[in-house]
């Protein structure tokens, strides 16, 4: 199955378009994990959507996940992202059956290609997580970015097409530190009670030690640390950040994108300008047009 998380009504357009585009390219269900903070109106919209005969939508309510001691987040939008870890509780379906595998997708993603690819299959005999490495270029010099977030340290800078379609495992010896970090927008895993309990034991311990409070990208930093040296690298096409279209033009091909991640400015918050501009610094007109 696929799954996503929604905690506030402002992301409802994202979830609906994610579900709509996923249906075009996959027959697998989408489990929408939500919390009580979601407004009644937004939940009703999802309930109505799930009843449509053409939709394969499953709703699952969860409790928020909050560390005992929260740190200072880079942005308020990350406050609910600890709850994303709740998807690891999905070892049982609503009818009591177990899932062979789960692919998590952020709610600001749209699907533009065949996603049920064998590259995402996991060895069921190994506890492993599959994800894409982060893009750490920070070409706009955002002040919140760590000091080692530079184009020289980005895993995608040295990549070339078409070999870039198969990324090198990020835990390779001798690589810069950012290579060891995964992007939490898309990840594939085999859920189990044992895995969940192991993750929560680490979560509680790191919370008591103050380690969680230092994580600027909550779920992403936790997953990178918990799976350090053990996660498998997916092709960047499964989590194509919209900024990569102009930050990494050497590897980007519009017709090869599978899952496009609309980070930062969301396409549903504003129409595309008459001059074709949209999104961050007006550079996202083309990819926002795809969403609309």
């Amino acid at each position: 199955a696929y799954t996503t998380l929604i905690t506030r009504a402002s992301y409802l357009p994202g979830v609906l378009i994610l579900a709509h585009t996923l249906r075009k390219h996959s027959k697998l269900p989408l489990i929408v994990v939500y919390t009580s903070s979601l407004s009644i109106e937004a939940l009703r919209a999802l309930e109505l959507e799930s009843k449509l005969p053409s939709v394969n939508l499953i709703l699952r309510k969860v409790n928020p996940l909050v560390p005992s001691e929260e740190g200072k987040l880079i942005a308020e939008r990350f406050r609910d992202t600890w709850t994303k870890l709740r998807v690891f509780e999905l070892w049982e379906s609503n009818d009591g059956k177990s899932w062979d595998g789960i692919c998590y997708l952020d709610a600001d993603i749209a699907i533009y290609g065949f996603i049920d690819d064998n590259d995402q299959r996991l060895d069921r005999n190994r506890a492993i997580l599959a994800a894409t490495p982060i893009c750490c270029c920070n070409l706009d010099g955002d002040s919140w970015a760590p000091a080692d977030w530079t184009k020289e340290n980005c895993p995608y800078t040295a990549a070339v097409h078409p070999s870039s379609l198969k990324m090198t495992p990020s835990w390779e010896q001798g690589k810069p530190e950012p290579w060891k970090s995964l992007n939490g927008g898309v990840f594939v895993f085999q859920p189990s009670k044992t895995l969940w309990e192991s993750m929560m034991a680490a979560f509680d311990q790191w919370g008591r030690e103050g380690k969680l409070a230092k994580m600027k990208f909550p779920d992403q930093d936790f997953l990178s640390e918990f799976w350090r040296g053990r996660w498998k690298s997916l092709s960047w096409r499964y989590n194509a950040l919209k900024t990569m279209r102009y930050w990494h033009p050497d590897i980007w091909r519009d017709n090869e994108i599978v899952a496009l991640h609309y980070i930062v400015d969301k396409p549903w918050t504003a129409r595309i300008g008459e001059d074709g501009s949209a999104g961050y610094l007006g550079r996202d007109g083309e990819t926002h047009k795809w969403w609309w």
Side-chain angles (χ1 to χ4, degrees):
Y2 293 91
T3 188
T4 193
L5 169 71
I6 182 170
T7 60
R8 59 189 83 175
S10 59
Y11 271 74
L12 179 62
V15 172
L16 294 179
I17 293 301
L18 170 60
H20 172 72
T21 54
L22 183 62
R23 286 199 305 273
K24 290 183 175 182
H25 300 283
S26 174
K27 295 182 179 179
L28 301 181
L30 175 65
I31 307 169
V32 178
V33 175
Y34 70 95
T35 60
S36 58
S37 60
L38 186 64
S39 69
I40 295 176
E41 294 82 3
L43 178 57
R44 180 58 178 158
L46 289 173
E47 289 173 342
L48 291 171
E49 191 82 1
S50 68
K51 293 178 181 179
L52 294 174
S54 60
V55 179
N56 200 354
L57 207 65
I58 301 170
L59 302 181
R60 180 78 71 92
K61 186 177 181 180
V62 299
N63 294 321
L65 184 62
V66 181
S68 55
E69 183 181 349
E70 282 193 279
K72 184 178 180 180
L73 302 175
I74 285 177
E76 179 63 26
R77 68 179 183 273
F78 292 136
R79 184 159 301 280
D80 295 336
T81 58
W82 285 118
T83 304
K84 186 189 298 186
L85 299 178
R86 289 283 187 193
V87 301
F88 286 90
E89 284 186 295
L90 300 176
W91 60 80
E92 270 191 356
S93 62
N94 287 359
D95 59 4
K97 297 178 181 178
S98 60
W99 297 108
D100 290 331
I102 298 282
C103 176
Y104 172 84
L105 301 164
D106 265 352
D108 56 353
I109 285 176
I111 308 301
Y112 296 114
F114 178 62
I115 192 169
D116 298 342
D117 194 282
N118 283 334
D119 285 349
Q120 294 198 70
R121 304 298 180 190
L122 298 178
D123 184 344
R124 295 189 63 185
N125 296 318
R126 298 178 62 197
I128 199 169
L129 185 89
T132 60
I134 62 168
C135 170
C136 64
C137 285
N138 190 30
L139 296 186
D140 297 317
D142 290 319
S143 59
W144 50 258
D148 59 0
W149 277 37
T150 64
K151 189 172 182 64
E152 293 72 26
N153 286 341
C154 182
Y156 303 98
T157 297
V160 294
H161 187 275
S163 61
S164 61
L165 299 178
K166 304 281 187 180
M167 283 300 297
T168 303
S170 60
W171 54 86
E172 200 172 277
Q173 290 289 333
K175 296 298 183 182
E177 188 66 21
W179 281 60
K180 301 179 178 69
S181 296
L182 58 86
N183 186 294
V186 176
F187 51 85
V188 188
F189 63 98
Q190 184 182 349
S192 71
K193 186 177 181 180
T194 301
L195 173 59
W196 170 251
E197 290 174 346
S198 176
M199 292 179 70
M200 286 303 97
F203 186 83
D204 292 339
Q205 178 182 340
W206 294 350
R208 292 192 301 270
E209 295 172 349
K211 193 172 182 177
L212 297 185
K214 298 177 182 178
M215 294 182 175
K216 295 182 177 181
F217 299 95
D219 63 288
Q220 182 167 290
D221 289 350
F222 177 88
L223 292 174
S224 295
E225 183 64 22
F226 183 82
W227 296 93
R228 194 174 181 87
R230 297 184 294 137
W231 58 278
K232 169 187 173 183
S233 183
L234 286 177
S235 167
W236 65 274
R237 298 185 302 152
Y238 294 114
N239 189 3
L241 310 185
K242 64 177 183 179
T243 50
M244 292 175 69
R245 192 173 189 265
Y246 40 87
W247 282 5
H248 294 286
D250 290 342
I251 65 173
W252 185 286
R253 301 293 186 276
D254 285 352
N255 63 344
E256 293 178 345
I257 303 306
V258 175
L260 181 54
H261 195 168
Y262 290 95
I263 60 172
V264 194
D265 299 84
K266 308 310 174 191
W268 59 82
T269 61
R271 288 282 185 176
I272 301 167
E274 293 184 2
D275 60 353
S277 64
Y280 186 60
L281 300 179
R283 294 179 296 192
D284 300 318
E286 181 63 25
T287 51
H288 281 215
K289 183 176 69 176
W290 302 354
W291 190 94
W292 281 102

